[in-house]
Amino acid sequence: MQNVGVIQRYREYLPALRDESIITLHEGSTPLIRAKRLEKYLNANAAIYLKYEGLNPTGSFKDRGMTMAISKAVDEGAKAVICASTGNTAASATAYAARAGLRCYVLVPKGNIAMGKLAQSMMHGAQVLQIDGLFDEALEIVRKITEEQKITLVNSVNPYRIEGQKSAAFEICDELKYAPDFHALPVGNAGNISAYWKGYREYFSTDKIKALPKMIGFQAEGSAPIVKNRQIDNPKTIATAIKIGNPASWRMAVAARDESGGLIEAVTDDEILHAYQLLASLEGVFCEPASAASVAGVLKLNKRKFFSNSSTIVCTLTGHGLKDPERAIESSDKPISVPADLTKILDAMGL
Ligand SMILES: *Cc1c(COP(=O)(O)O)cnc(C)c1O
């Protein structure tokens, strides 16, 4: 079956658009992977699935929202778009803007963006501005710019982003034929957890599913404003995609948590890196560090016997591991150097 992109696939659930305005890179329809070795490792009887969003066209779930936001901008006659980004929003916005022929500006926090994401943004012909500051400051600035200029904001405060992103929840329900009992996600600016919850609720209200999942979100310990219930002025974590001290969708995320009977908790950088390595070595799934926060959270809750035996858990893996090759290399054993000599190689292999 051809992947037509999320707008065509779920058009009846999305805001109206003219056909000629649709800008797609055939995002969505990403794999839902059963993680049997991880289940065994956890000694859990629960079924764990990974929604591998790293396989979207620019390597993260941001494409689901971006196809909608950019198409809507085209539909409304916009000439330019702008976003603040920890990297993946910029990678996605620049690609979709290029395809739409729109001018694109991105503001990223200097030194706090993974190399792959910066490379992507630079390739698509956008104007990339690195600021000496945090993501939160960049977002505040682009919000001010769009109040005064005729430039469309494509951060997740743009409601069309959330509309597009909710399609991931639809895909999971369409594939499983039911909603999972738990849905685990990393939480940064908190748009995605809000989007999934919206998607599940819409499927519930149209009788596509009979029950709703509990939304379980995870922030990095040093960057956990929702968990601590206060803005964090100097967020710290190696997981740059969720290094955000004042999430734009804070209230919506808290509503998703409370309405679903779920939770939002913190995981440490060590727990994130452990889950990141486990996913790669046990399941062959390479995600970026922030993505692994969902699995780190499930590991942590499993230790306190949070899940029941028959639970189905879906973990969203938000972005591809290739985004951040430096972190991958730092987190792994170094390759062994050997001469091009059969005996020496066998020796090094321990054979
Ligand atoms: C954007 C992003 C997040 C955070 O999603 P929010 O909607 O901001 O909560 C997590 N992981 C990755 C890889 C991302 O790109």
Side-chain angles (χ1 to χ4, degrees), residues 2-10 24-29 67:
Q2 205 216 344
N3 172 9
V4 292
V6 302
I7 295 179
Q8 306 247 44
R9 183 165 176 191
Y10 292 111
T24 181
L25 283 162
H26 305 265
E27 59 296 312
S29 303
T67 183

Side-chain angles (χ1 to χ4, degrees), residues 59-62 86-89 117 156 161-162 165 186-194 241-242 244 288 290-291 317-320:
S60 85
F61 74 85
K62 299 297 198 298
T86 61
N88 281 332
T89 299
K117 304 176 189 181
S156 58
R161 282 276 311 277
I162 306 277
Q165 284 172 212
V187 175
N189 216 20
N192 212 26
I193 192 170
S194 311
I242 53 172
I244 293 174
E288 63 175 286
S291 307
L317 301 181
T318 44
H320 203 290

Side-chain angles (χ1 to χ4, degrees), residues 204-283:
F204 185 71
S205 66
T206 53
D207 268 338
K208 288 263 199 177
I209 49 173
K210 302 278 174 283
L212 288 162
K214 290 182 166 50
M215 304 302 295
I216 54 178
F218 300 95
Q219 299 196 293
E221 180 74 40
S223 179
I226 299 177
V227 179
K228 302 199 164 133
N229 201 23
R230 66 179 162 81
Q231 187 179 317
I232 308 294
D233 292 327
N234 190 15
K236 289 198 173 69
T237 171
I238 52 97
T240 49
I242 53 172
K243 189 173 175 181
I244 293 174
N246 185 19
S249 299
W250 191 321
R251 257 184 285 165
M252 270 201 288
V254 167
R257 176 193 72 190
D258 296 344
E259 289 168 25
S260 73
L263 52 80
I264 296 179
E265 291 196 3
V267 285
T268 64
D269 279 3
D270 283 347
E271 289 170 325
I272 290 172
L273 288 172
H274 175 60
Y276 169 66
Q277 284 161 325
L278 271 185
L279 283 164
S281 60
L282 283 182
E283 296 293 354

